Amino acid sequence: MSNTVHQRLRFTRSIVPGHIGLTFGLFLLFGFAILALAGGTSNLPPPEKMDLLSRLAGPSERHLLGTDHLGRDLLSRLLAAIPVSLGAALKTMAAILAIALPWGLIAGLAGGRTDMVMMRLADIVMAFPTLVLALAVIGFMGASLEASIIGVAVAWWPSNARLIRALVLSANERDFVKASYLAGASRRRVIFRHVLPQILPPLAVIVSLETASVLLALSSLSFLGIGAQPPMPEWGAMLNEARPFLRMPPIC
C-alpha cells in the first residue's frame, strides 16, 4: 500500500469519530443550496441578460456587485453558477464512485492475482498527471462541461479505488467478519451486512472533502476555456472572461 493511501487513511480515521468533515461539508452544501434558491427567487436580472450601456459598471443599487464586459449582472451570474459548478462537481464524484467503489471492493475481496491485476491497471492510470489525462479525454470528446466531468472522473478514480481497497482489506480483518465466514454466511451477505457499513462512513467523509478538489479541477478547466462554454454561468469560465479587465477600474 502506498504512503499516500496510508496518510489518507490516518487522516480519515482521525476525523471520522466526530464526523467533522462530513458535517462541515453538508453544512456548506446546504448553504450553497440556499444561495442558489435565493438567486432563483430574487428580483435580480437574468444571468444572460446583456446591457451594453452598463458594461463594466461598479457596484450600485441596481447591480450590487457590478456588471461584466457585456453588462450582465455579476451577482446574478454568481448565484446562477452555483448549481452549474457544484452540480458538475457532484456529478463527477458520483462518476468517480461508480467506478472506484466496485473496483476497490472486488480487488480487496478477491485478493491474489485478481487484486494484483486490478491494482496494476489503476497504477497505470495514476501514472499520468490528473489534468493531463483529463485534457486528453477532453481533446478527444471536444470542449464542454460534460467532457470535463468525464475527463476528471477518468483521471481521478484510481486513487479512490486504492483507498476503498485499503478500507475493505482493513474491514475484512475484523474478527466478526471472519466469524461470519466461519458461520457459513455468503460472500454477498458479508459484504452488505458487515463490510460496506464499515467503509461507507469514512468514504462519505472523503467524498465531502474531495468534492472541493474536484470543483477546483473543473473550474480550472473552464478557466482554460475547455470546460463550460459561454454564455453558461460557471465560476471558472467567469474568471476567464474577467481576466482581461482585472486591471481596469469600473466605469462609472
Side-chain angles (χ1 to χ4, degrees), residues 87-188:
L90 294 177
K91 290 177 183 177
T92 305
M93 284 306 306
I96 291 171
L97 288 178
I99 304 172
L101 184 58
W103 195 279
L105 277 173
I106 294 172
L109 293 172
R113 188 180 297 274
T114 302
D115 180 25
M116 183 186 68
V117 171
M118 295 181 72
M119 287 300 100
R120 296 298 77 77
L121 290 174
D123 290 341
I124 291 173
V125 179
M126 288 182 66
F128 295 93
T130 302
L131 286 181
V132 172
L133 184 56
L135 288 172
V137 174
I138 296 171
F140 177 77
M141 298 183 62
S144 67
L145 184 59
E146 292 75 16
S148 298
I149 292 173
I150 296 174
V152 172
V154 168
W156 212 283
W157 70 266
S159 60
N160 287 271
R162 293 191 66 87
L163 180 59
I164 292 170
R165 170 184 174 270
L167 292 172
V168 170
L169 291 175
S170 177
N172 229 19
E173 293 299 318
R174 301 292 179 88
D175 290 338
F176 61 85
V177 175
K178 295 181 178 179
S180 298
Y181 283 120
L182 294 175
S186 64
R187 176 66 64 87
R188 181 177 179 180

Side-chain angles (χ1 to χ4, degrees), residues 18-227:
H19 298 284
I20 298 175
L22 179 61
T23 303
F24 185 66
L26 291 175
F27 177 78
L28 287 179
L29 289 176
F30 181 75
F32 279 122
I34 293 297
L35 287 175
L37 292 175
T41 58
S42 64
N43 294 325
L44 294 173
E48 296 85 9
K49 184 179 179 180
M50 294 186 295
D51 183 5
L52 296 179
L53 296 179
S54 301
R55 61 189 302 270
L56 299 176
S60 62
E61 292 184 1
R62 183 180 178 186
H63 303 289
L64 295 180
L65 294 182
T67 61
D68 64 5
H69 62 293
L70 295 177
R72 297 172 296 191
D73 186 84
L74 284 177
L75 178 58
S76 176
R77 289 184 64 77
L78 279 174
L79 295 178
I82 292 176
V84 176
S85 299
L86 192 57
L90 294 177
K91 290 177 183 177
T92 305
M93 284 306 306
I96 291 171
L97 288 178
I99 304 172
L101 184 58
W103 195 279
L105 277 173
I106 294 172
L109 293 172
R113 188 180 297 274
T114 302
D115 180 25
M116 183 186 68
V117 171
M118 295 181 72
M119 287 300 100
R120 296 298 77 77
L121 290 174
D123 290 341
I124 291 173
V125 179
M126 288 182 66
F128 295 93
T130 302
L131 286 181
V132 172
L133 184 56
L135 288 172
V137 174
I138 296 171
F140 177 77
M141 298 183 62
S144 67
L145 184 59
E146 292 75 16
S148 298
I149 292 173
I150 296 174
V152 172
V154 168
W156 212 283
W157 70 266
S159 60
N160 287 271
R162 293 191 66 87
L163 180 59
I164 292 170
R165 170 184 174 270
L167 292 172
V168 170
L169 291 175
S170 177
N172 229 19
E173 293 299 318
R174 301 292 179 88
D175 290 338
F176 61 85
V177 175
K178 295 181 178 179
S180 298
Y181 283 120
L182 294 175
S186 64
R187 176 66 64 87
R188 181 177 179 180
R189 179 179 176 85
V190 172
I191 293 173
F192 285 98
R193 290 293 299 273
H194 301 297
V195 175
L196 280 178
Q198 290 186 73
I199 71 173
L200 287 181
L203 188 58
V205 175
I206 292 166
V207 168
S208 68
L209 295 175
E210 286 207 343
T211 300
S213 300
V214 170
L215 176 59
L216 286 175
L218 292 171
S219 296
S220 299
L221 293 173
S222 296
F223 179 79
L224 294 174
I226 55 178

